[in-house]
Amino acid sequence: MNEINESLYEIIQRANVPRTINELADLSGMDYAALQRDLDALTACGRIALSKKGKYALPEKLGMVSGVAAFLHNGAAVCRPDDGSNQLRITDGRLRPMPGDRILVRPDNAGGCTIEAICSREKRTLAACVRIEHMGRGKGRRIAAVERLRATAVACDPRIPYAIDLDGDLSFVRNNEIALLEIDEYPQANRPIRAHALRVLGNAGSMLSRLRATAEEHDFPTEFPPDVEDAARSLQWEPMPGPDAQRIDLRDRVIFTIDGAGSRDFDDAVSIESLPDGGYRLGVHIADVSHYVRPGSAVDREACSRGTSLYLPGYTVPMLPEALSNDLCSLMPNVDRLAMSLFMDVSPAGRVVDHFLTRSIIRSRARLTYDGVNRFFEGDPEPLPEEVAESLLTMRRLAQRLQEQRKERGAVDFEMEEAAFVLDEKYEPTEILCPKRGESERLIEEFMLLANQTVARLAMDTQLPFLYRIHERPDPDRIHALEAFMNLAGDPVYLGEHPHPGMLQKILDKHADDGRIEVIRRTMLRALKKAQYSEKPVGHYALALSDYCHFTSPIRRYPDLVVHRMLKLLLDGGMAGIAKAEKRMPELAKDCSQREQESVRAEREADDMLKAAWMRHQIGRKFNGTISGVTSWGVYVTLDNTVEGLVHVSDLDDYYVYDDRRQQLIGSERGQILRMGQQVRVRALSASVERGEINFELVGVLADAQA
């Protein structure tokens, strides 16, 4: 990523009129080569624009708006402005953007816009289903007849509406296979995308192939470059390496891991001791990934570009090669592993009164699962080593106190229902479950929260350049919208401009046994901002914490790896390294936030695809559900297993008018009102796996949302 020349941007920003490159050279004192490079960088990200007369200015000075191109599910192209204003419909087809392209548009007075320039192309590759047609045989006097082939493709991403023509070697691709393509020419007014195939992802009818395609579409490569794989395999176990002479030996401690039954990368382990004053010494031991993944190495560059591991149903795209994520860095039982160990002395009241951070070497005593520990807590005689069982009971007491302490400070507990897919050998969903979190899951969550909070406070106290995990206060307008929703739901509340998060938790507690609780949670989440990474410690609103970070998962999150590196600089007193690292923090925070958001989008798309795959075998069946969204084109209904589908207005038995203020549909003849939170009965009409969309038919209303 090119660094942006902020001083040059400020010169252009201060100018009253567009400037030529000659004028900017005089104003900045830069040579032409460097100036052109920086102007290109500023133009590529849409911060400045080039006029038709070859002059540079801020987009708004030229009547333009910078933003990102996006495509709605109905195929319509829109611009999402950088300033956060309402999206604009793209009304012309002269320039053809791809999803994610940076564009400059000229708004009209009707909510539309025309594209003035495509500043930079986001996509270099795309996944597509290949179509190979036999075009007969060409004839000539001196050459034998040769069969001609025509190769085209259809993008797996339904938001890409353009035709694709394929060139190059296709000997390794068969008809109806999904391939990863590299774009050679982007679409133009009357010309398709031209591309060539890089590798095959699988047969188009395979759900695994579609999961791979989803990962690739969101820039999570399903294969590592050979040099990265080779570099990872070349790394060796070093019990007590020279540069880390301060590493302490904890192999005699009772340390173990607790993870899901299907987990393969174990990056956190725990230990506990009871203190004489009734408190606890909690140990959180995190895989020392930063020892192996050095800054600037091939493995590090690849991990940085990915930003995070991607977890799709039944299929994981790791951030690090398996030689590291599932072996050398994984805290497997009964093997020596390097770690970063944080010991926290916790008072009987649940507050950290002292802490100690160190490099360590550990040996996990056991690999426990959430289900197994839950059964142990419920009294099932789980065959555990005695010292592990004793530690679990002590941890249970501490976790309960930490939960009480979190509730006392007013944190919001968004325990959303999440789908868990039961897949067959072909990755087809046979069942969709909504497992509840047990006591062991909450125990580990509390310990990791405490470790993250303690590390962030350490960074804050020492003024260490850092990547914080932040969650800013919600905007007053969105809080007012939440108040309006609760009023319509029959529970008027007044939250004020800046409510304490505890006020939101009280709403959730009040409606815990309400059939509309999931709708209330979703509406509340939409009222809040998204958590992200930042170099500034502005706090975490939902957790009601002034300092917070991500420290506990360096195998699967790049920000955690950065945090570990900074903590080591602090331990070693490397002030020169700290000063250098400080310059990179804003860029890293932005990039890591973007990659996380991209992973969320990919995971959501994969979930929708698998839900549609399950629902296509349920066509005609009736289900109970809850209205979870109301729009002018219909109502969205969520079933008990989290499957969501649309009841389109055209499939309703009356002409319905949309009441935007109350977010409800009103039947013109019968007066039937459809609103959020209503319990309804629906019939499955159709399901599109490719689009991840489901359509229902309304059978009847079971219970009114305000009843």
Side-chain angles (χ1 to χ4, degrees):
M1 180 180 294
N2 293 330
E3 292 187 5
I4 299 299
N5 188 328
E6 293 296 339
S7 61
L8 177 59
Y9 176 76
E10 290 172 4
I11 290 172
I12 298 172
Q13 188 179 38
R14 289 195 300 267
N16 293 323
V17 294
R19 299 287 189 179
T20 66
I21 189 170
N22 291 334
E23 292 171 328
L24 291 172
D26 292 337
L27 290 170
S28 65
M30 298 174 63
D31 66 77
Y32 271 61
L35 178 59
Q36 188 64 66
R37 183 196 64 223
D38 289 345
L39 287 171
D40 290 344
L42 287 166
T43 304
C45 66
R47 295 183 67 185
I48 66 171
L50 180 63
S51 73
K52 294 179 180 179
K53 295 183 178 180
K55 296 184 178 183
Y56 294 91
L58 299 186
E60 53 267 29
K61 293 285 187 181
L62 300 174
M64 302 180 196
V65 171
S66 63
V68 175
F71 287 79
L72 307 181
H73 279 293
N74 62 6
V78 298
C79 171
R80 291 177 175 157
D82 292 335
D83 60 10
S85 57
N86 293 336
Q87 64 186 21
L88 303 167
R89 300 186 318 276
I90 296 174
T91 57
D92 70 326
R94 293 177 298 108
L95 297 175
R96 294 192 164 188
M98 299 277 283
D101 286 353
R102 294 214 58 83
I103 58 178
L104 284 173
V105 301
R106 192 177 298 277
D108 58 29
N109 295 323
C113 66
T114 57
I115 300 179
E116 293 293 324
I118 297 177
C119 303
S120 62
R121 295 285 192 174
E122 174 67 18
K123 282 186 173 294
R124 298 289 182 268
T125 61
L126 69 147
C129 183
V130 175
R131 302 280 190 257
I132 300 177
E133 302 176 70
H134 296 263
M135 304 297 291
R137 296 179 179 271
K139 295 182 179 180
R141 289 183 179 180
R142 298 187 179 181
I143 57 173
V146 178
E147 186 173 37
R148 293 181 298 143
L149 300 177
R150 180 172 183 265
T152 60
V154 177
C156 292
D157 186 345
R159 300 172 303 166
I160 299 177
Y162 310 121
I164 305 171
D165 284 351
L166 296 183
D167 299 318
D169 181 18
L170 292 169
S171 61
F172 58 94
V173 185
R174 295 180 180 179
N175 187 49
N176 206 38
E177 284 187 326
I178 295 176
L180 181 66
L181 311 180
E182 183 172 8
I183 299 172
D184 299 316
E185 294 181 16
Y186 290 92
Q188 297 182 24
N190 297 308
R191 291 170 55 183
I193 296 171
R194 300 198 70 86
H196 64 275
L198 295 175
R199 65 176 187 272
V200 173
L201 300 178
N203 189 278
S206 163
M207 189 59 69
L208 177 57
S209 301
R210 292 197 171 274
L211 289 172
R212 287 174 174 158
T214 299
E216 294 283 359
E217 282 296 330
H218 292 272
D219 295 324
F220 289 95
T222 54
E223 295 181 5
F224 284 93
D227 64 320
V228 175
E229 290 277 19
D230 292 344
R233 282 192 292 265
S234 70
L235 295 169
Q236 301 293 323
W237 162 253
E238 301 175 37
M240 296 294 276
D244 294 340
Q246 310 98 325
R247 195 176 296 274
I248 64 173
D249 192 341
L250 299 176
R251 286 175 288 186
D252 61 340
R253 303 289 184 96
V254 180
I255 297 173
F256 50 86
T257 63
I258 308 176
D259 292 276
S263 298
R264 296 174 63 191
D265 54 346
F266 313 120
D267 50 11
D268 58 86
V270 289
S271 64
I272 200 163
E273 303 171 50
S274 295
L275 299 178
D277 64 353
Y280 308 87
R281 177 163 294 158
L282 173 65
V284 173
H285 313 273
I286 308 301
D288 191 359
V289 178
S290 63
H291 174 77
Y292 298 102
V293 183
R294 301 293 183 172
S297 65
V299 176
D300 178 58
R301 291 194 301 271
E302 183 68 17
C304 184
S305 69
R306 292 171 181 244
T308 177
S309 294
L310 179 66
Y311 295 94
L312 306 182
Y315 183 67
T316 298
V317 182
M319 183 181 77
L320 300 173
E322 289 192 4
L324 289 172
S325 61
N326 293 349
D327 186 8
L328 198 54
C329 293
S330 186
L331 306 182
M332 299 180 292
N334 304 313
V335 294
D336 293 348
R337 286 291 179 260
L338 303 184
M340 290 286 285
S341 292
L342 174 66
F343 291 97
M344 296 165 284
D345 287 356
V346 187
S347 70
R351 299 187 181 278
V352 176
V353 294
D354 198 5
H355 67 269
F356 173 62
L357 176 68
T358 183
R359 297 176 176 89
S360 65
I361 179 171
I362 68 170
R363 176 183 282 258
S364 173
R365 298 287 181 92
R367 181 268 199 264
L368 305 183
T369 65
Y370 290 129
D371 288 343
V373 175
N374 286 334
R375 290 194 300 271
F376 171 77
F377 286 153
E378 291 165 2
D380 191 15
E382 185 80 11
L384 296 175
E386 182 179 353
E387 67 272 19
V388 172
E390 290 179 0
S391 292
L392 282 174
L393 293 175
T394 305
M395 289 177 179
R396 185 187 201 183
R397 292 192 294 271
L398 173 58
Q400 290 171 346
R401 185 66 196 97
L402 292 176
Q403 289 168 22
E404 293 169 0
Q405 205 270 335
R406 176 151 57 129
K407 190 171 184 178
E408 288 169 4
R409 72 169 184 262
V412 187
D413 185 9
F414 287 111
E415 190 171 345
M416 300 290 294
E417 290 187 349
E418 295 184 2
F421 297 89
V422 179
L423 306 178
D424 62 18
E425 66 280 358
K426 296 181 179 179
Y427 287 77
E428 292 285 342
T430 59
E431 192 174 2
I432 302 176
L433 307 173
C434 292
K436 300 291 185 182
R437 282 195 313 162
E439 197 171 354
S440 65
E441 288 94 335
R442 290 191 290 271
L443 179 149
I444 290 298
E445 180 186 25
E446 290 297 340
F447 291 174
M448 298 304 116
L449 286 171
L450 192 66
N452 289 336
Q453 179 187 357
T454 302
V455 166
R457 187 179 299 123
L458 171 63
M460 180 62 183
D461 290 344
T462 57
Q463 297 296 296
L464 183 68
F466 215 57
L467 282 185
Y468 293 92
R469 182 66 171 176
I470 68 167
H471 187 216
E472 296 175 285
R473 292 193 305 181
D475 292 329
D477 288 346
R478 296 206 171 192
I479 290 298
H480 295 331
L482 175 61
E483 290 175 333
F485 169 78
M486 293 307 302
N487 183 55
L488 292 173
D491 182 21
V493 296
Y494 175 72
L495 298 172
E497 295 286 303
H498 302 291
H500 188 276
M503 298 175 69
L504 305 184
Q505 184 59 45
K506 287 180 180 179
I507 294 175
L508 295 176
D509 291 341
K510 181 178 179 180
H511 294 274
D513 299 323
D514 192 328
R516 302 168 294 174
I517 183 60
E518 287 303 311
V519 174
I520 293 172
R521 280 200 191 101
R522 289 190 186 189
T523 305
M524 189 176 290
L525 272 174
R526 283 195 289 267
L528 302 182
K529 294 184 177 181
K530 293 180 180 178
Q532 58 185 322
Y533 297 103
S534 174
E535 75 282 6
K536 299 177 181 178
V538 301
H540 198 292
Y541 176 79
L543 292 175
L545 291 173
S546 57
D547 304 303
Y548 193 66
C549 74
H550 276 167
F551 160 75
T552 55
S553 296
I555 288 179
R556 63 184 180 90
R557 290 190 304 231
Y558 196 76
D560 303 53
L561 180 56
V562 173
V563 162
H564 277 232
R565 288 171 176 162
M566 298 311 300
L567 291 171
K568 284 185 175 180
L569 288 175
L570 179 65
L571 292 176
D572 297 339
M575 297 310 296
I578 288 176
K580 183 178 179 181
E582 186 173 14
K583 297 179 180 179
R584 289 201 64 207
M585 288 301 146
E587 180 185 353
L588 281 170
K590 180 182 177 181
D591 291 348
C592 289
S593 296
Q594 290 175 345
R595 294 306 297 157
E596 179 197 36
Q597 292 164 15
E598 199 64 37
S599 73
V600 170
R601 284 190 283 268
E603 290 163 7
R604 187 181 297 122
E605 285 181 19
D607 280 6
D608 289 345
M609 183 171 62
L610 283 172
K611 289 174 182 178
W614 180 79
M615 186 56 74
R616 67 181 171 181
H617 299 294
Q618 318 298 324
I619 302 303
R621 281 189 58 191
K622 297 178 182 177
F623 300 88
N624 291 342
T626 305
I627 294 180
S628 51
V630 182
T631 68
S632 60
W633 57 87
V635 296
Y636 288 91
V637 175
T638 301
L639 309 185
D640 293 340
N641 62 359
T642 75
V643 169
E644 185 179 65
L646 173 67
V647 179
H648 198 274
V649 288
S650 62
D651 293 318
L652 294 171
D653 60 357
D654 195 354
Y655 178 76
Y656 279 79
V657 177
Y658 180 55
D659 181 346
D660 180 49
R661 189 178 69 84
R662 296 180 176 273
Q663 297 182 48
Q664 59 187 20
L665 287 173
I666 305 171
S668 298
E669 294 184 9
R670 297 180 179 85
Q672 173 72 60
I673 296 176
L674 300 177
R675 58 168 67 92
M676 296 242 299
Q678 281 176 315
Q679 307 295 303
V680 295
R681 184 81 167 163
V682 295
R683 180 187 291 108
L685 281 184
S686 63
S688 169
V689 176
E690 293 77 13
R691 303 187 70 86
E693 294 176 352
I694 297 165
N695 289 296
F696 292 138
E697 177 186 22
L698 185 65
V699 176
V701 176
L702 302 178
D704 192 277
Q706 293 182 348

